């Protein structure tokens, strides 16, 4: 019988093929082990960095030692800081800036509030206040801004122009003033807003179109 490949040669080729396959599997296992080790090392490094960052962030280096207030005219810096619940000596990352903004905007005189951290140790509070434009009188004085938003209700005589002759329907502080003569209120407030830009002022306006 004739053999193209003698049996001995076949055995040697088979043995070589098996050896090669085993070597490939061994190298593959070694690569996986190395990758696992590297991955484990990177995970440990990342965890260590996070822990160090948290510990550093909680250190006294980030304690607030200055609070800056901007945009206020009606309220003093101290009043704004107190209203926001801000304080020095605490960690800047534990200061709830969102809650401070909400507390400030709960006040009818404050239209917007923005509280920012200026690292490492400064807290900046920027507000936009509503301006007293007129006092609509109807048994009480309803102090409003140029849009008719009620800033406060008081029995005391105001320092702004008093508007007489309007019938108040809703006069709750922190809401828009509702009067029966809404068009006249809008026109009067628009006029007063413009006069506040110059030197002309009025002590009292009667909606009957008579200016005193």
């Amino acid at each position: 019988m004739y053999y193209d490949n003698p049996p001995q040669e076949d055995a040697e080729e088979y043995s070589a093929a098996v050896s090669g396959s085993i070597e490939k599997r061994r190298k593959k296992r070694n690569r996986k082990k190395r990758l696992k080790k590297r991955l484990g090392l990177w995970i440990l490094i990342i965890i260590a960095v996070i822990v160090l960052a948290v510990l550093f962030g909680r250190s006294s280096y980030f304690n607030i030692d200055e609070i800056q207030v901007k945009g206020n005219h009606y309220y003093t810096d101290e009043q704004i800081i107190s209203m926001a619940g801000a304080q020095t000596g605490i960690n800047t990352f534990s200061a709830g800036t969102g809650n401070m903004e909400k507390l400030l905007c709960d006040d009818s005189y404050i239209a917007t509030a923005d509280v920012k951290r200026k690292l490492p140790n400064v807290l900046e509070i920027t507000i936009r206040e509503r301006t007293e434009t007129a006092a609509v009188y109807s048994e009480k004085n309803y102090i409003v801004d140029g849009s008719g938003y009620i800033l406060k209700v008081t029995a005391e005589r105001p320092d702004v122009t008093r508007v007489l002759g309007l019938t108040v329907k809703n006069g709750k502080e922190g809401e828009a003033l509702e009067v029966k003569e809404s068009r006249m209120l809008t026109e009067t407030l628009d006029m007063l807003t413009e006069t506040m830009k110059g030197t002309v002022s009025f002590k009292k306006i009667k909606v009957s179109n008579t200016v005193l």
Side-chain angles (χ1 to χ4, degrees):
M1 183 179 292
Y2 176 78
Y3 294 94
D4 291 333
N5 293 308
Q8 184 176 354
E9 292 181 5
D10 288 344
E12 290 176 352
E13 288 180 3
Y14 176 76
S15 177
V18 170
S19 298
S21 178
I22 292 173
E23 182 65 19
K24 287 180 180 179
R25 287 198 295 268
R26 187 182 65 79
K27 289 181 178 180
K28 189 174 182 180
R29 284 197 300 269
N30 289 339
R31 281 198 300 271
K32 286 183 177 180
K33 287 180 180 180
R34 287 195 296 270
L35 286 174
K36 286 181 179 180
K37 287 181 179 179
R38 290 176 182 174
L39 181 60
L41 179 60
W42 277 110
I43 290 174
L44 289 175
I45 291 173
I46 292 170
I47 292 173
V49 170
I50 292 173
V51 170
L52 289 173
V54 170
L55 292 175
F56 182 57
R58 292 180 178 178
S59 70
S60 59
Y61 180 73
F62 291 101
N63 283 0
I64 299 171
D65 62 17
E66 181 184 358
I67 301 175
Q68 300 174 350
V69 180
K70 299 180 179 180
N72 55 313
H73 302 285
Y74 183 79
Y75 290 117
T76 65
D77 290 2
E78 291 73 20
Q79 287 174 319
I80 293 295
I81 292 171
S82 177
M83 291 162 62
Q87 56 183 308
T88 57
I90 66 171
N91 187 280
T92 186
F93 296 111
S94 65
T97 56
N99 186 57
M100 290 182 187
E101 293 170 352
K102 181 180 182 303
L103 289 172
L104 289 168
C105 289
D106 283 343
D107 188 276
S108 57
Y109 275 85
I110 299 178
T112 62
D114 183 31
V115 182
K116 292 182 178 178
R117 302 180 182 92
K118 295 176 68 176
L119 299 179
N121 51 19
V122 177
L123 193 68
E124 182 182 85
I125 302 175
T126 304
I127 66 169
R128 181 173 63 84
E129 293 177 333
R130 296 183 175 93
T131 303
E132 292 184 353
T133 303
V136 177
Y137 181 76
S138 179
E139 297 183 354
K140 299 176 182 178
N141 290 301
Y142 297 88
I143 312 299
V144 298
D145 69 356
S147 67
Y149 186 88
I150 302 173
L151 304 179
K152 69 178 178 181
V153 182
T154 179
E156 298 177 2
R157 193 172 185 84
D159 295 327
V160 292
T161 303
R162 298 179 81 197
V163 179
L164 310 177
L166 296 175
T167 308
V168 175
K169 296 164 61 178
N170 177 41
K172 186 177 179 181
E173 184 178 312
E175 296 181 1
L177 178 66
E178 293 182 21
V179 298
K180 185 177 179 180
E181 307 83 357
S182 58
R183 183 177 63 83
M184 291 299 298
L185 173 63
T186 301
E187 291 177 354
T188 302
L189 291 177
D190 288 344
M191 183 268 292
L192 289 174
T193 299
E194 287 301 315
T195 59
M196 289 173 68
K197 298 176 182 178
T199 57
V200 178
S201 62
F202 302 94
K203 289 185 177 180
K204 183 168 58 176
I205 294 178
K206 192 171 178 61
V207 172
S208 60
N209 295 324
T210 300
V211 179
L212 303 179

